[in-house]
Amino acid sequence: MAKQKTVIKVTMPGEKSRSQALGLTARAKGVTSMEITGDGKDQLEVVGDGIDIACLVKCLRKKVGYADILKIEVVEGKPEKKPEEPMPSTPCPPPCRCSDYYYYAPPPMLLCEEPSSSCHIM
């Protein structure tokens, strides 16, 4: 995949909402750099490879406020090396959730090895 630069207009009236938007964007998979731009400091410029922009915008809307994609463009760089063999097809990823950007470990499961009347966990 080629690197892409995306400009997202986000309602960020204060410093708290700006840091919240930057923090959420930093946790997105594939982001290599980000910057707040625009005259009113209301645009978020995100550069990366393989970013799920729709999911990122959805999460920004949920956590920060209004967000809309203004521009997506390919960033020119070194030409990518073409693989000689065809890549195996991979299944589509599951739909995104804003909780995907937070890394929670699931609680451990406790199971009894032998069912007995003295086991109170199950």
Side-chain angles (χ1 to χ4, degrees):
M1 295 184 120
K3 274 192 174 183
Q4 63 184 17
K5 180 172 82 170
T6 306
V7 179
I8 305 169
K9 183 177 176 104
V10 185
T11 303
M12 300 180 285
E15 195 60 39
K16 183 178 178 181
S17 60
R18 285 187 189 106
S19 65
Q20 189 176 17
L22 285 174
L24 185 66
T25 306
R27 287 188 294 267
K29 182 181 175 190
V31 173
T32 57
S33 69
M34 61 197 161
E35 180 182 5
I36 293 178
T37 60
D39 294 335
K41 300 285 185 188
D42 61 347
Q43 294 178 5
L44 188 61
E45 188 175 292
V46 183
V47 178
D49 187 17
I51 305 169
D52 188 355
I53 297 297
C55 184
L56 178 60
V57 169
K58 179 181 173 185
C59 291
L60 284 169
R61 286 177 183 162
K62 186 174 183 179
K63 302 287 183 184
V64 179
Y66 174 80
D68 196 19
I69 300 171
L70 295 180
K71 178 173 54 171
I72 298 176
E73 60 186 29
V74 176
V75 176
E76 296 296 326
K78 295 180 183 178
E80 292 186 17
K81 201 175 188 181
K82 300 283 183 184
E84 294 180 13
E85 297 179 17
M87 298 286 288
S89 63
T90 56
C92 293
C96 67
R97 299 181 317 265
C98 284
S99 61
D100 289 343
Y101 292 111
Y102 299 99
Y103 303 105
Y104 293 118
M109 292 186 61
L110 301 175
L111 299 175
C112 293
E113 293 184 17
E114 295 179 16
S116 66
S117 62
S118 64
C119 180
H120 299 286
I121 296 175
M122 290 177 61

